[in-house]
Short mmCIF file of all heavy atoms in Angstrom, two decimals:
data_model
loop_
_atom_site.label_atom_id
_atom_site.label_comp_id
_atom_site.label_asym_id
_atom_site.label_seq_id
_atom_site.Cartn_x
_atom_site.Cartn_y
_atom_site.Cartn_z
N VAL Z 19 31.49 135.08 109.57
CA VAL Z 19 32.17 134.38 108.43
C VAL Z 19 31.37 133.15 107.99
O VAL Z 19 31.25 132.90 106.78
CB VAL Z 19 33.56 133.95 108.92
CG1 VAL Z 19 34.24 133.12 107.83
CG2 VAL Z 19 34.42 135.16 109.17
N GLY Z 20 30.74 132.45 108.92
CA GLY Z 20 30.19 131.13 108.59
C GLY Z 20 28.88 131.20 107.80
O GLY Z 20 28.18 132.23 107.75
N GLY Z 21 28.50 130.14 107.11
CA GLY Z 21 27.24 129.97 106.43
C GLY Z 21 27.19 130.68 105.12
O GLY Z 21 27.94 131.56 104.87
N PRO Z 22 26.24 130.19 104.27
CA PRO Z 22 26.11 130.79 102.95
C PRO Z 22 25.40 132.14 103.03
O PRO Z 22 24.65 132.39 104.02
CB PRO Z 22 25.24 129.78 102.20
CG PRO Z 22 24.45 129.09 103.29
CD PRO Z 22 25.40 129.01 104.50
N ASN Z 23 25.65 132.96 102.12
CA ASN Z 23 24.97 134.28 102.11
C ASN Z 23 23.56 134.09 101.60
O ASN Z 23 23.37 133.55 100.55
CB ASN Z 23 25.76 135.30 101.21
CG ASN Z 23 27.10 135.71 101.77
OD1 ASN Z 23 27.31 135.62 102.99
ND2 ASN Z 23 28.00 136.02 100.88
N ARG Z 24 22.57 134.61 102.40
CA ARG Z 24 21.22 134.54 102.02
C ARG Z 24 20.70 135.95 101.84
O ARG Z 24 21.07 136.84 102.66
CB ARG Z 24 20.38 133.75 103.05
CG ARG Z 24 20.70 132.31 103.04
CD ARG Z 24 19.85 131.45 103.96
NE ARG Z 24 18.40 131.68 103.79
CZ ARG Z 24 17.57 131.31 104.66
NH1 ARG Z 24 17.93 130.64 105.76
NH2 ARG Z 24 16.27 131.55 104.44
N ALA Z 25 19.82 136.13 100.90
CA ALA Z 25 19.23 137.45 100.71
C ALA Z 25 18.33 137.82 101.88
O ALA Z 25 17.70 136.94 102.50
CB ALA Z 25 18.37 137.39 99.41
N LEU Z 26 18.35 139.11 102.24
CA LEU Z 26 17.60 139.55 103.34
C LEU Z 26 16.38 140.30 102.85
O LEU Z 26 16.40 140.99 101.87
CB LEU Z 26 18.39 140.46 104.26
CG LEU Z 26 19.67 139.86 104.85
CD1 LEU Z 26 20.39 140.85 105.68
CD2 LEU Z 26 19.31 138.60 105.69
N GLY Z 27 15.29 140.17 103.58
CA GLY Z 27 14.03 140.88 103.23
C GLY Z 27 14.10 142.29 103.86
O GLY Z 27 15.00 142.63 104.56
N PRO Z 28 12.97 143.05 103.61
CA PRO Z 28 12.91 144.44 104.10
C PRO Z 28 12.98 144.44 105.67
O PRO Z 28 13.35 145.48 106.22
CB PRO Z 28 11.60 144.95 103.60
CG PRO Z 28 10.88 143.81 103.06
CD PRO Z 28 11.81 142.70 102.82
N ASP Z 29 12.63 143.40 106.34
CA ASP Z 29 12.67 143.34 107.82
C ASP Z 29 14.04 142.93 108.34
O ASP Z 29 14.21 142.85 109.55
CB ASP Z 29 11.58 142.41 108.32
CG ASP Z 29 11.72 141.00 107.80
OD1 ASP Z 29 12.67 140.63 107.01
OD2 ASP Z 29 10.93 140.11 108.17
N GLY Z 30 14.94 142.67 107.48
CA GLY Z 30 16.34 142.35 107.87
C GLY Z 30 16.55 140.83 108.11
O GLY Z 30 17.61 140.42 108.36
N LEU Z 31 15.48 140.10 108.07
CA LEU Z 31 15.50 138.63 108.18
C LEU Z 31 15.81 137.90 106.91
O LEU Z 31 15.40 138.39 105.85
CB LEU Z 31 14.24 138.13 108.85
CG LEU Z 31 13.89 138.65 110.23
CD1 LEU Z 31 12.56 138.16 110.68
CD2 LEU Z 31 14.90 138.27 111.24
N PRO Z 32 16.45 136.76 106.93
CA PRO Z 32 16.72 135.98 105.68
C PRO Z 32 15.34 135.67 105.03
O PRO Z 32 14.38 135.32 105.64
CB PRO Z 32 17.40 134.78 106.19
CG PRO Z 32 17.92 135.03 107.51
CD PRO Z 32 17.03 136.04 108.14
N LEU Z 33 15.37 135.81 103.66
CA LEU Z 33 14.16 135.34 102.93
C LEU Z 33 13.99 133.88 102.94
O LEU Z 33 15.07 133.21 102.98
CB LEU Z 33 14.31 135.92 101.52
CG LEU Z 33 14.25 137.41 101.32
CD1 LEU Z 33 14.53 137.76 99.83
CD2 LEU Z 33 12.85 137.96 101.68
N PRO Z 34 12.79 133.34 102.95
CA PRO Z 34 12.63 131.95 103.00
C PRO Z 34 13.17 131.31 101.66
O PRO Z 34 13.15 131.98 100.65
CB PRO Z 34 11.13 131.72 103.08
CG PRO Z 34 10.51 133.03 102.78
CD PRO Z 34 11.57 134.15 102.96
N THR Z 35 13.59 130.11 101.80
CA THR Z 35 14.06 129.33 100.63
C THR Z 35 13.16 128.11 100.44
O THR Z 35 12.59 127.67 101.41
CB THR Z 35 15.51 128.86 100.76
OG1 THR Z 35 15.63 128.11 101.88
CG2 THR Z 35 16.44 130.10 100.80
N ALA Z 36 13.08 127.64 99.23
CA ALA Z 36 12.23 126.46 98.91
C ALA Z 36 12.87 125.26 99.59
O ALA Z 36 14.06 125.05 99.62
CB ALA Z 36 12.12 126.32 97.43
N TYR Z 37 11.97 124.44 100.13
CA TYR Z 37 12.40 123.08 100.72
C TYR Z 37 12.42 122.18 99.49
O TYR Z 37 11.48 121.88 98.84
CB TYR Z 37 11.28 122.68 101.69
CG TYR Z 37 11.43 121.30 102.26
CD1 TYR Z 37 12.47 120.99 103.09
CD2 TYR Z 37 10.55 120.32 101.97
CE1 TYR Z 37 12.60 119.74 103.66
CE2 TYR Z 37 10.65 119.03 102.46
CZ TYR Z 37 11.70 118.76 103.32
OH TYR Z 37 11.81 117.50 103.85
N ILE Z 38 13.61 121.63 99.27
CA ILE Z 38 13.83 120.74 98.10
C ILE Z 38 13.94 119.33 98.61
O ILE Z 38 14.78 119.05 99.50
CB ILE Z 38 15.06 121.21 97.30
CG1 ILE Z 38 15.00 122.62 96.86
CG2 ILE Z 38 15.29 120.18 96.11
CD1 ILE Z 38 13.83 122.93 95.91
N ILE Z 39 13.11 118.42 98.06
CA ILE Z 39 13.20 117.03 98.42
C ILE Z 39 14.16 116.40 97.38
O ILE Z 39 13.88 116.32 96.21
CB ILE Z 39 11.86 116.36 98.36
CG1 ILE Z 39 10.91 117.04 99.44
CG2 ILE Z 39 11.99 114.89 98.70
CD1 ILE Z 39 9.48 116.65 99.36
N ALA Z 40 15.36 115.98 97.80
CA ALA Z 40 16.36 115.39 96.98
C ALA Z 40 15.98 113.96 96.57
O ALA Z 40 15.28 113.22 97.36
CB ALA Z 40 17.68 115.39 97.64
N PRO Z 41 16.38 113.51 95.44
CA PRO Z 41 16.16 112.10 95.05
C PRO Z 41 16.72 111.16 96.13
O PRO Z 41 17.78 111.42 96.71
CB PRO Z 41 16.94 111.97 93.70
CG PRO Z 41 17.03 113.33 93.18
CD PRO Z 41 17.16 114.26 94.41
N GLY Z 42 15.94 110.19 96.42
CA GLY Z 42 16.35 109.19 97.44
C GLY Z 42 15.82 109.49 98.88
O GLY Z 42 15.95 108.76 99.76
N GLU Z 43 15.23 110.73 99.01
CA GLU Z 43 14.69 111.10 100.33
C GLU Z 43 13.20 110.86 100.48
O GLU Z 43 12.61 111.10 101.53
CB GLU Z 43 14.83 112.64 100.60
CG GLU Z 43 16.24 113.08 100.83
CD GLU Z 43 16.35 114.56 101.14
OE1 GLU Z 43 15.44 115.33 100.88
OE2 GLU Z 43 17.43 114.96 101.66
N GLU Z 44 12.56 110.26 99.42
CA GLU Z 44 11.15 110.11 99.43
C GLU Z 44 10.61 109.27 100.61
O GLU Z 44 9.66 109.69 101.30
CB GLU Z 44 10.71 109.46 98.10
CG GLU Z 44 10.88 110.35 96.90
CD GLU Z 44 12.24 110.26 96.31
OE1 GLU Z 44 13.15 109.51 96.81
OE2 GLU Z 44 12.48 110.97 95.30
N ALA Z 45 11.27 108.17 100.84
CA ALA Z 45 10.85 107.34 101.98
C ALA Z 45 11.00 108.01 103.31
O ALA Z 45 10.12 107.89 104.20
CB ALA Z 45 11.57 105.99 101.94
N ALA Z 46 12.05 108.73 103.46
CA ALA Z 46 12.32 109.45 104.72
C ALA Z 46 11.22 110.49 104.98
O ALA Z 46 10.70 110.68 106.11
CB ALA Z 46 13.73 110.09 104.73
N VAL Z 47 10.75 111.22 103.90
CA VAL Z 47 9.79 112.23 104.05
C VAL Z 47 8.49 111.60 104.42
O VAL Z 47 7.75 112.08 105.36
CB VAL Z 47 9.61 113.01 102.76
CG1 VAL Z 47 8.40 113.92 102.72
CG2 VAL Z 47 10.90 113.76 102.49
N LYS Z 48 8.11 110.48 103.80
CA LYS Z 48 6.83 109.78 104.14
C LYS Z 48 6.82 109.30 105.57
O LYS Z 48 5.81 109.46 106.28
CB LYS Z 48 6.62 108.60 103.15
CG LYS Z 48 6.08 108.97 101.85
CD LYS Z 48 5.59 107.77 101.02
CE LYS Z 48 5.40 108.22 99.65
NZ LYS Z 48 4.13 107.90 99.09
N PHE Z 49 7.91 108.67 105.99
CA PHE Z 49 7.94 108.17 107.37
C PHE Z 49 8.02 109.21 108.40
O PHE Z 49 7.50 109.11 109.56
CB PHE Z 49 9.03 107.15 107.54
CG PHE Z 49 8.61 105.81 106.91
CD1 PHE Z 49 9.18 105.38 105.67
CD2 PHE Z 49 7.62 105.09 107.46
CE1 PHE Z 49 8.81 104.24 105.08
CE2 PHE Z 49 7.17 103.89 106.85
CZ PHE Z 49 7.77 103.48 105.66
N ARG Z 50 8.67 110.44 108.12
CA ARG Z 50 8.69 111.58 109.00
C ARG Z 50 7.25 112.10 109.16
O ARG Z 50 6.82 112.37 110.28
CB ARG Z 50 9.54 112.75 108.47
CG ARG Z 50 10.90 112.76 109.06
CD ARG Z 50 11.63 114.11 108.83
NE ARG Z 50 11.59 114.63 107.48
CZ ARG Z 50 12.51 114.30 106.59
NH1 ARG Z 50 13.53 113.49 106.87
NH2 ARG Z 50 12.45 114.83 105.36
N MET Z 51 6.46 112.13 108.07
CA MET Z 51 5.10 112.59 108.18
C MET Z 51 4.26 111.53 108.98
O MET Z 51 3.47 111.94 109.87
CB MET Z 51 4.48 112.75 106.75
CG MET Z 51 3.00 113.25 106.82
SD MET Z 51 2.72 114.77 107.69
CE MET Z 51 2.79 115.89 106.28
N LEU Z 52 4.41 110.25 108.68
CA LEU Z 52 3.66 109.24 109.38
C LEU Z 52 3.98 109.27 110.91
O LEU Z 52 3.04 109.26 111.70
CB LEU Z 52 4.08 107.88 108.87
CG LEU Z 52 3.40 106.69 109.57
CD1 LEU Z 52 1.88 106.64 109.36
CD2 LEU Z 52 4.01 105.38 109.06
N ASP Z 53 5.30 109.36 111.27
CA ASP Z 53 5.61 109.44 112.63
C ASP Z 53 5.08 110.65 113.30
O ASP Z 53 4.63 110.64 114.45
CB ASP Z 53 7.16 109.43 112.82
CG ASP Z 53 7.78 108.07 112.46
OD1 ASP Z 53 7.09 107.07 112.35
OD2 ASP Z 53 9.01 108.02 112.27
N SER Z 54 5.05 111.76 112.64
CA SER Z 54 4.53 113.07 113.22
C SER Z 54 3.03 112.95 113.37
O SER Z 54 2.52 113.39 114.39
CB SER Z 54 4.92 114.23 112.26
OG SER Z 54 6.32 114.38 112.25
N VAL Z 55 2.35 112.43 112.35
CA VAL Z 55 0.91 112.25 112.50
C VAL Z 55 0.55 111.35 113.70
O VAL Z 55 -0.30 111.67 114.49
CB VAL Z 55 0.27 111.76 111.18
CG1 VAL Z 55 -1.17 111.22 111.44
CG2 VAL Z 55 0.30 112.83 110.12
N ASN Z 56 1.27 110.25 113.70
CA ASN Z 56 1.05 109.32 114.88
C ASN Z 56 1.34 109.88 116.24
O ASN Z 56 0.65 109.60 117.23
CB ASN Z 56 1.72 107.94 114.66
CG ASN Z 56 0.96 107.10 113.65
OD1 ASN Z 56 -0.31 107.24 113.56
ND2 ASN Z 56 1.59 106.28 112.88
N ALA Z 57 2.34 110.71 116.33
CA ALA Z 57 2.70 111.35 117.62
C ALA Z 57 1.52 112.32 117.99
O ALA Z 57 1.18 112.33 119.19
CB ALA Z 57 3.98 112.10 117.50
N LEU Z 58 0.99 113.05 117.03
CA LEU Z 58 -0.08 113.94 117.36
C LEU Z 58 -1.37 113.15 117.74
O LEU Z 58 -2.06 113.51 118.67
CB LEU Z 58 -0.42 114.81 116.13
CG LEU Z 58 0.62 115.86 115.76
CD1 LEU Z 58 0.40 116.43 114.40
CD2 LEU Z 58 0.68 116.96 116.81
N ARG Z 59 -1.58 112.07 116.99
CA ARG Z 59 -2.73 111.18 117.34
C ARG Z 59 -2.61 110.60 118.75
O ARG Z 59 -3.52 110.55 119.51
CB ARG Z 59 -2.99 110.15 116.21
CG ARG Z 59 -3.38 110.77 114.92
CD ARG Z 59 -3.51 109.76 113.77
NE ARG Z 59 -4.45 108.69 114.06
CZ ARG Z 59 -5.76 108.76 113.77
NH1 ARG Z 59 -6.26 109.85 113.17
NH2 ARG Z 59 -6.52 107.75 114.03
N GLN Z 60 -1.36 110.15 119.02
CA GLN Z 60 -1.19 109.55 120.34
C GLN Z 60 -1.37 110.56 121.47
O GLN Z 60 -2.00 110.29 122.49
CB GLN Z 60 0.27 108.98 120.48
CG GLN Z 60 0.55 108.29 121.80
CD GLN Z 60 1.97 107.75 121.81
OE1 GLN Z 60 2.87 108.10 121.06
NE2 GLN Z 60 2.21 106.88 122.84
N ALA Z 61 -0.93 111.79 121.23
CA ALA Z 61 -1.11 112.84 122.28
C ALA Z 61 -2.57 113.08 122.49
O ALA Z 61 -2.97 113.48 123.56
CB ALA Z 61 -0.34 114.12 121.82
N ALA Z 62 -3.31 112.92 121.43
CA ALA Z 62 -4.82 113.20 121.56
C ALA Z 62 -5.61 111.86 121.93
O ALA Z 62 -6.81 111.80 121.90
CB ALA Z 62 -5.35 113.70 120.22
N ARG Z 63 -4.79 110.84 122.26
CA ARG Z 63 -5.40 109.51 122.66
C ARG Z 63 -6.25 108.94 121.52
O ARG Z 63 -7.32 108.40 121.75
CB ARG Z 63 -6.18 109.63 123.97
CG ARG Z 63 -5.31 110.08 125.14
CD ARG Z 63 -6.12 110.17 126.35
NE ARG Z 63 -5.53 111.02 127.39
CZ ARG Z 63 -4.63 110.60 128.28
NH1 ARG Z 63 -4.24 109.38 128.27
NH2 ARG Z 63 -4.15 111.37 129.13
N VAL Z 64 -5.75 109.03 120.30
CA VAL Z 64 -6.42 108.52 119.10
C VAL Z 64 -5.44 107.41 118.55
O VAL Z 64 -4.25 107.62 118.58
CB VAL Z 64 -6.63 109.55 118.10
CG1 VAL Z 64 -7.31 108.99 116.87
CG2 VAL Z 64 -7.52 110.68 118.67
N GLY Z 65 -6.01 106.34 118.05
CA GLY Z 65 -5.15 105.22 117.51
C GLY Z 65 -4.25 105.64 116.36
O GLY Z 65 -4.51 106.62 115.62
N PRO Z 66 -3.11 104.93 116.18
CA PRO Z 66 -2.19 105.23 115.13
C PRO Z 66 -2.76 104.80 113.76
O PRO Z 66 -3.71 104.07 113.63
CB PRO Z 66 -1.00 104.36 115.50
CG PRO Z 66 -1.57 103.19 116.18
CD PRO Z 66 -2.74 103.71 116.98
N VAL Z 67 -2.09 105.34 112.70
CA VAL Z 67 -2.41 105.01 111.32
C VAL Z 67 -1.19 104.36 110.78
O VAL Z 67 -0.05 104.55 111.17
CB VAL Z 67 -2.93 106.20 110.52
CG1 VAL Z 67 -4.29 106.65 111.04
CG2 VAL Z 67 -1.91 107.36 110.49
N ALA Z 68 -1.40 103.61 109.63
CA ALA Z 68 -0.28 103.00 108.89
C ALA Z 68 -0.37 103.50 107.48
O ALA Z 68 -1.47 103.78 106.99
CB ALA Z 68 -0.41 101.49 108.89
N LEU Z 69 0.74 103.54 106.81
CA LEU Z 69 0.71 103.94 105.39
C LEU Z 69 0.10 102.87 104.55
O LEU Z 69 0.30 101.67 104.84
CB LEU Z 69 2.13 104.18 104.87
CG LEU Z 69 2.78 105.50 105.34
CD1 LEU Z 69 4.24 105.55 104.86
CD2 LEU Z 69 2.04 106.74 104.79
N ASP Z 70 -0.74 103.29 103.58
CA ASP Z 70 -1.48 102.38 102.72
C ASP Z 70 -1.00 102.65 101.29
O ASP Z 70 -1.10 103.83 100.84
CB ASP Z 70 -2.97 102.59 102.80
CG ASP Z 70 -3.70 101.70 101.94
OD1 ASP Z 70 -3.90 100.46 102.30
OD2 ASP Z 70 -4.19 102.13 100.86
N PRO Z 71 -0.54 101.62 100.55
CA PRO Z 71 -0.06 101.89 99.15
C PRO Z 71 -1.11 102.43 98.24
O PRO Z 71 -0.77 103.25 97.36
CB PRO Z 71 0.50 100.50 98.75
CG PRO Z 71 0.00 99.53 99.70
CD PRO Z 71 -0.40 100.20 100.95
N GLN Z 72 -2.36 102.01 98.37
CA GLN Z 72 -3.39 102.53 97.49
C GLN Z 72 -3.72 104.00 97.79
O GLN Z 72 -3.87 104.81 96.86
CB GLN Z 72 -4.66 101.67 97.59
CG GLN Z 72 -4.50 100.30 96.91
CD GLN Z 72 -3.81 99.26 97.79
OE1 GLN Z 72 -3.85 99.41 99.06
NE2 GLN Z 72 -3.20 98.29 97.17
N LEU Z 73 -3.77 104.34 99.07
CA LEU Z 73 -3.99 105.75 99.42
C LEU Z 73 -2.81 106.60 99.01
O LEU Z 73 -2.89 107.76 98.66
CB LEU Z 73 -4.37 105.86 100.88
CG LEU Z 73 -5.72 105.42 101.34
CD1 LEU Z 73 -5.91 105.50 102.87
CD2 LEU Z 73 -6.79 106.11 100.61
N ASN Z 74 -1.58 106.04 99.19
CA ASN Z 74 -0.36 106.75 98.71
C ASN Z 74 -0.50 107.05 97.19
O ASN Z 74 -0.16 108.12 96.73
CB ASN Z 74 0.90 105.96 98.99
CG ASN Z 74 1.31 105.98 100.44
OD1 ASN Z 74 0.90 106.84 101.19
ND2 ASN Z 74 2.13 105.03 100.78
#
Side-chain angles (χ1 to χ4, degrees):
V19 175
N23 291 334
R24 288 185 53 194
L26 300 179
D29 58 2
L31 297 174
L33 292 172
T35 57
Y37 174 70
I38 304 296
I39 300 171
E43 288 184 344
E44 293 85 358
V47 170
K48 280 190 194 234
F49 285 107
R50 260 196 311 271
M51 179 61 94
L52 177 65
D53 290 345
S54 298
V55 165
N56 280 332
L58 291 167
R59 290 175 63 86
Q60 181 181 16
R63 299 181 200 272
V64 180
V67 293
L69 285 173
D70 179 80
Q72 287 81 25
L73 288 177
N74 284 341

